[in-house]
Amino acid sequence: LPPQRWTNSINQASKMSLLAWEKETGIKLVQINGQRHYGGPPPGWMGDPPPAGTEVYIGKLPQDLYEDVLIPLFQSVGKLYEFRLMMTFSGLNRGFAYAKYSTQRGARNAIATFNNYQVRQGCAIVVCRSTQKRELSVDGLATSVSQQELEATLQRATQGVLSVTLHASPRQRQTKLAVLKYSSHQAAAMAKKTLMEGNLRLRGSGIKVEWLHRDLKQKLQLWEEQPPSSQVQEDKSLALPKPLALPLATQNVLDHLNTLCRRKHLGMPLFLTKCFQVNPNGWLLFWYQVAIPGYPMPFSGFTWVWQDGQGQSSHEKAKATVALRVLRVLGEPLVDPH
């Protein structure tokens, strides 16, 4: 059978039932980029969209179940603002959907009522709070890819990029892994689809695009937070930079960041640093946060600083180490002139 006739022949009865329901209720479903939408806002909605915590994730759906069953079911416990069913090319659903309610109470009712609910004999579905993931990992990039180049590519091809960070890949030797943060779950989902379609010319081999897994995120943070030692620095796969390895005075680094923020009209960076731990061999672990008024979110994390006994404040050294990281994220890393 030609592809079109083959896809039309799949679960014909369920599709006819859906069409009859749409005609009877007057509900319009719109399909965009592999998602079929109801509402967002629904007819007659007045005011702002619902607050955070009103969306639920629905999983383990039978693939031939559609909105004519799902929307009335989920609407029975609260007013729906939006319902999104993920679709395959063939016209089956992909086994999961998202329901956003007008109130947090509606979302709580849906979880309490429908988690482990049998939509069919032997088909228990999963309903839980939507995690609203916003971070992607892109593994297998060529080591020659620069942060500035990658950020420019993503700004052109996707919407809502907040930050791009590059790391040595923990899975493939001689490759890089990028962590991409987006302004919303929807922006991240659209970017994931764009990147997985492979139309972007990203340099690398066997590039793998996924939601950023919690264990990978923790591993990357651990590498950032680990105090450098001769043993660690010999392992090039970890690619841990020496803090403040640049032959630049602390004040020069901070001045460079301040100048860049002025040039980009972002406002002056505000630094908070707190010493958390003192290592016996002279390393200090600092927590930091940098707020830049014109940047969407603050930078925060941990960094190690070497205490060299030359009288310079360890807090100032921590600020300079962090300023180097912020400059990299803003696409203007300082280059060692030597």
Side-chain angles (χ1 to χ4, degrees):
L1 280 175
Q4 194 59 42
R5 282 176 58 196
W6 174 75
T7 58
N8 286 346
S9 67
I10 285 185
N11 52 292
Q12 194 65 27
S14 298
K15 288 181 179 176
M16 294 304 290
S17 171
L18 173 66
L19 289 171
W21 175 78
E22 283 185 88
K23 194 171 180 180
E24 184 187 329
T25 58
I27 282 176
K28 284 191 174 179
L29 301 175
V30 180
Q31 186 156 335
I32 305 170
N33 295 316
Q35 299 185 22
R36 202 156 58 197
H37 286 243
Y38 157 74
W45 180 269
M46 303 290 283
D48 296 329
T54 52
E55 186 170 79
V56 298
Y57 165 83
I58 306 156
K60 295 195 174 178
L61 289 171
Q63 285 193 274
D64 60 345
L65 198 66
Y66 298 122
E67 291 90 342
D68 56 317
V69 173
L70 294 169
I71 287 178
L73 185 67
F74 280 88
Q75 202 138 37
S76 68
V77 294
K79 183 177 171 62
L80 279 178
Y81 173 78
E82 183 180 51
F83 191 91
R84 295 184 289 130
L85 184 62
M86 306 300 128
M87 301 298 295
T88 68
F89 170 74
S90 68
L92 294 166
N93 78 57
R94 285 168 57 201
F96 67 102
Y98 295 91
K100 184 178 275 193
Y101 285 87
S102 59
T103 63
Q104 291 175 345
R105 185 176 181 174
R108 287 196 299 269
N109 288 347
I111 293 166
T113 309
F114 296 125
N115 189 37
N116 291 323
Y117 176 83
Q118 293 211 10
V119 286
R120 282 184 192 155
Q121 190 65 38
C123 292
I125 60 173
V126 170
V127 181
C128 58
R129 191 174 290 281
S130 171
T131 53
Q132 293 288 296
K133 296 175 188 172
R134 298 189 303 156
E135 290 176 297
L136 302 174
S137 66
V138 181
D139 203 358
L141 295 166
T143 50
S144 56
V145 171
S146 73
Q147 185 165 320
Q148 210 163 354
E149 174 197 348
L150 182 59
E151 209 164 289
T153 303
L154 293 167
Q155 293 282 7
R156 281 195 306 271
T158 67
Q159 299 288 316
V161 188
L162 291 184
S163 68
V164 177
T165 52
L166 278 174
H167 310 262
S169 171
R171 295 174 186 149
Q172 303 179 56
R173 276 200 164 295
Q174 306 301 317
T175 63
K176 284 183 180 178
L177 177 140
V179 174
L180 320 178
K181 183 174 274 188
Y182 282 83
S183 56
S184 69
H185 173 72
Q186 202 150 358
M190 295 293 291
K192 182 171 181 279
K193 184 173 185 297
T194 301
L195 291 165
M196 287 179 76
E197 283 169 353
N199 298 328
L200 283 186
R201 301 215 172 272
L202 295 177
R203 285 189 282 122
S205 60
I207 289 173
K208 194 172 182 182
V209 183
E210 297 176 304
W211 292 110
L212 180 61
H213 294 167
R214 188 183 302 169
D215 58 345
L216 176 59
K217 189 173 185 175
Q218 285 174 343
K219 187 185 281 188
L220 295 172
Q221 283 174 344
L222 205 63
W223 288 0
E224 282 284 308
E225 293 164 24
Q226 194 171 345
S229 68
S230 56
Q231 180 188 354
V232 169
Q233 282 167 11
E234 280 162 18
D235 183 355
K236 295 291 188 282
S237 71
L238 293 191
L240 274 169
K242 296 176 188 176
L244 283 183
L246 299 175
L248 289 163
T250 299
Q251 199 52 49
N252 289 1
V253 180
L254 295 170
D255 286 348
H256 191 85
L257 178 60
N258 290 342
T259 304
L260 176 65
C261 289
R262 268 200 306 274
R263 201 174 76 232
K264 293 193 170 192
H265 307 291
L266 296 172
M268 291 297 282
L270 175 68
F271 286 79
L272 293 174
T273 55
K274 184 175 179 180
C275 187
F276 257 74
Q277 186 183 328
V278 180
N279 194 290
N281 51 17
W283 290 94
L284 305 175
L285 178 63
F286 275 86
W287 170 85
Y288 68 84
Q289 186 172 76
V290 186
I292 300 176
Y295 201 78
M297 58 204 309
F299 300 85
S300 61
F302 292 88
T303 188
W304 288 91
V305 172
W306 172 249
Q307 223 177 3
D308 57 8
Q310 290 181 6
Q312 191 181 30
S313 156
S314 53
H315 280 271
E316 288 303 306
K317 283 191 166 186
K319 282 185 189 177
T321 308
V322 172
L324 288 172
R325 290 185 186 178
V326 174
L327 284 165
R328 283 203 300 271
V329 173
L330 295 176
E332 299 224 3
L334 284 177
V335 179
D336 184 343
H338 306 288

